[in-house]
């Protein structure tokens, strides 16, 4: 994601949103809120994190395909890429 300011901004916004949602979940638990409400908000946090992760992977793949990777970085092996994608699944 080095050099892709737009993608970095999108990811950071999603992570900030997830951070706020997670703080809300913690507050809800401390307040003794209904389990259904807590789980719903926790699912929203999880989805926001997933979207951030997929954006990072998609940006990295685009950079790889277009040759925009930094000179000091090594290309990922197939096994490394597979492991990365499975971590998000």
């Amino acid at each position: 994601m080095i050099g892709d300011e737009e993608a970095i901004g999108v990811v950071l916004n999603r992570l900030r949103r997830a951070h706020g949602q997670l703080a809300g979940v913690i507050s809800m638990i401390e307040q003794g809120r209904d389990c259904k409400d807590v789980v719903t908000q926790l699912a929203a946090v999880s989805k926001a994190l997933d979207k951030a992760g997929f954006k990072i992977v998609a940006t990295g793949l685009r950079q790889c395909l277009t040759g925009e990777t930094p000179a000091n970085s090594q290309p990922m092996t197939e096994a490394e890429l597979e492991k990365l994608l499975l971590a998000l699944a």
Side-chain angles (χ1 to χ4, degrees), residues 26-48:
I26 292 169
S27 178
M28 291 171 75
I29 291 170
E30 291 172 343
Q31 295 169 5
R33 297 274 301 269
D34 183 58
C35 177
K36 179 182 171 188
D37 295 336
V38 172
V39 171
T40 299
Q41 285 304 311
L42 198 54
V45 173
S46 179
K47 189 169 187 169

Side-chain angles (χ1 to χ4, degrees), residues 10-78:
V10 169
V11 169
L12 287 175
N13 284 338
R14 287 181 176 159
L15 291 175
R16 286 184 183 109
R17 187 176 311 126
H19 184 264
Q21 289 171 319
L22 185 56
V25 170
I26 292 169
S27 178
M28 291 171 75
I29 291 170
E30 291 172 343
Q31 295 169 5
R33 297 274 301 269
D34 183 58
C35 177
K36 179 182 171 188
D37 295 336
V38 172
V39 171
T40 299
Q41 285 304 311
L42 198 54
V45 173
S46 179
K47 189 169 187 169
L49 292 174
D50 287 345
K51 284 185 175 185
F54 284 121
K55 181 66 173 177
I56 290 169
V57 170
T59 301
L61 286 174
R62 183 176 44 85
Q63 287 175 343
C64 240
L65 292 172
T66 60
E68 297 175 12
T69 56
N72 62 348
S73 70
Q74 297 293 321
M76 279 194 285
T77 66
E78 186 175 329

